[in-house]
Amino acid sequence: MATLDTDALGAWVREYARAVTEHRDELTELDSAIGDADHGTNMHRGMTAAVAALDATPPADGAALLKTVAMTMISKVGGTSGPLYGTLFLRMSGALDDGSPAAFAAAFRAGVEGVVARGKAELQDKTMVDALLPAADALTEAVGAGQELDVALRAAADAAARGRDSVTPLVARKGRASYLGERSADHVDPGAESAVLLVEAAAATLGRS
Amino acid sequence: MAAVGIVVVSHSRPLADAAVELARQMLPNSTLAIEVAAGTDDGGLGTDAVAVSTAITAADSGDGVVVLMDLGSAVMSAETALELLDDDVRARVVLSAAPLVEGLVGAAVVAAGGADRDRVAAEALRGLAPKQAHLG
């Protein structure tokens, strides 16, 4: 059975840093339409610092790795995505257990619930939660049904993308975008987009563990 | 007399420093602890929950801390900072919904006078009252 150890989780984090850097301008552009135009820059700064922190002090285990990522995001991102993604990784770190697929699915859910609690966002508020909650549901369901991890993570990534797309027509009810009211409709939410990248990065790396 | 500390959380270091300067103008000769956690470490706009927790620890003399903040990530970074603190320190901290400048001035004046934490927090929340009364 796949075990999500330090190497596997490190590959996930590094792939997410690479994806965030590749999509930096796109994320910032999405955020300039309905926010404060810093999401790509902030996520790039945070994830680059997270990878540097892992390089500087190799973590002892998977939980320590996720905690390093959490503390770096909390400290370095600057915007709201810092506390939000930081809380996601921090709660995951506390719930990782033995790193089995079932434990990973439970840890991811704990992380997503941490984001919900921190941001106080609900489904259809047009935030990262609209990508993360469906992904957590799909992952839990697929792993619970005995699917291989790569299949389960693919389902989670697809659910995240569908969740992101489902709220694109809506008016934002949280964050800076909510200041814009009706003008936020028909724009892709930048937080939902970066959340899709996170789950895609998991499917691209952890599914192969 | 209580020695309640105050922490200012802002996206902008200059904004926070100027707000503190404005409040200190009301407190000649006061040694009131007002700590600032503002901006990113490269001088840009942003907030850092680790810096907020450090500022809270620095402002805390055991009588409690009132945290004032601007908007958006400042609020979430302040909440996240609470998770990073020891339980006994966390129990002494109040995150104030008061407007930053008005709340800070009101809180600083009563804190410098030796008021306890709850009184300082209440005064921060009353910060808009003089302006509202004046403008009617």
Side-chain angles (χ1 to χ4, degrees), chain B residues 10 37 39 42 44 47-48 53 58 60 67 73 78 82 87 92 95 98 102-103 109 118-119 130 134:
Chain B
S10 171
D42 56 2
T47 60
D48 170 351
S53 70
D60 177 39
V67 182
S73 73
L82 293 185
D87 289 347
R92 294 196 288 270
L95 304 184
E102 291 86 344
V109 169
D118 291 348
R119 173 83 209 292
H134 180 88

Side-chain angles (χ1 to χ4, degrees), chain A residues 74-76 78 91 118 120, chain B residues 41 47-49 79-80 83:
Chain A
I74 282 168
S75 182
K76 299 295 182 190
R91 298 287 165 85
R118 173 72 63 229
K120 301 188 174 72
Chain B
D41 56 11
T47 60
D48 170 351
E79 290 179 312
T80 305
E83 275 194 47

Side-chain angles (χ1 to χ4, degrees), chain B residues 71-97:
Chain B
L71 68 169
S73 73
V75 180
M76 268 187 231
S77 285
E79 290 179 312
T80 305
L82 293 185
E83 275 194 47
L84 307 178
L85 294 169
D86 294 338
D87 289 347
D88 57 332
V89 178
R90 184 188 309 122
R92 294 196 288 270
V93 179
V94 173
L95 304 184
S96 173

Side-chain angles (χ1 to χ4, degrees), chain A residues 56 148 161 202:
Chain A
E148 291 295 328

